[in-house]
Amino acid sequence: MPKVVMRKAKHSDLEAITEIYNDAILKTTATFDTQTKSMEEQEKWFAAHDEKHPIIVAEISGKVVGWASLSRWSDRCAYSGTAENSVYVAEKNRGMGIGNALLEKLMEEGKKCGLHTVIARIASGNGVSVKMHEKAGFSHIGTMKEVGVKFGKLLDVIMMQKIYD
């Protein structure tokens, strides 16, 4: 396997991040977004991330092949120690362990940032993501039944959580 470098995202990575995310919107249930994102929308998303809510990229030979982020769970201040994670890998680079490595690095960053807990929302049928989160120490905390529709199908959302020690 080629060498994978993990690092904090830079603004110059945004086009590659957006390309990976838009592909996931069109082809997967990993996100419940149904319309691709414009660069303007992604600029706002990128700006909403800070030291406590980082974006990490994985690159091979200088090309971004995956990304992960911690986002605010809620804008209510009582939730300031809680974040939600996202992990996306370019289709041709899946199955190489990049998602696991991104999630591991992201969780290290979350702990360093002083977060108390991280929440994951995973569409039913995405067993790979469930296993990846279990490996990273997440526990299943519930299932929201039939809360999303994508590709004409009602989907459940599995809720997982990791509480830092």
Side-chain angles (χ1 to χ4, degrees), residues 13 23 39 50 54 66 70 74 80 88 92 97 117 130 136 144 146:
D13 299 320
D23 188 63
M39 284 305 292
D50 53 25
L70 290 172
S74 172
S80 66
Y88 293 91
K92 70 179 186 176
T117 188
V130 169
M144 298 186 295
E146 299 180 359

Side-chain angles (χ1 to χ4, degrees), residues 41-56:
E41 289 170 305
Q42 288 295 91
E43 291 277 356
K44 290 177 187 170
W45 170 83
F46 192 85
H49 288 81
D50 53 25
E51 286 301 313
K52 195 169 184 178
H53 303 94
I55 303 168
I56 305 294

Side-chain angles (χ1 to χ4, degrees), residues 102-118:
L102 277 165
L103 183 55
E104 183 180 323
K105 176 72 171 161
L106 189 68
M107 297 311 294
E108 289 170 10
E109 293 297 320
K111 187 170 188 169
K112 280 192 233 174
C113 295
L115 289 174
H116 175 67
T117 188
V118 177

Side-chain angles (χ1 to χ4, degrees), residues 57-73:
V57 296
E59 62 180 15
I60 296 174
S61 302
K63 179 177 173 35
V64 173
V65 297
W67 63 272
S69 67
L70 290 172
S71 300
R72 285 177 180 78
W73 173 249

Side-chain angles (χ1 to χ4, degrees), residues 70 83-85 107 115 117-120 138 160-162 164:
L70 290 172
E84 178 178 5
N85 76 327
M107 297 311 294
L115 289 174
T117 188
V118 177
I119 304 292
F138 282 72
M160 298 186 79
Q161 178 181 22
K162 177 173 175 124
Y164 289 105

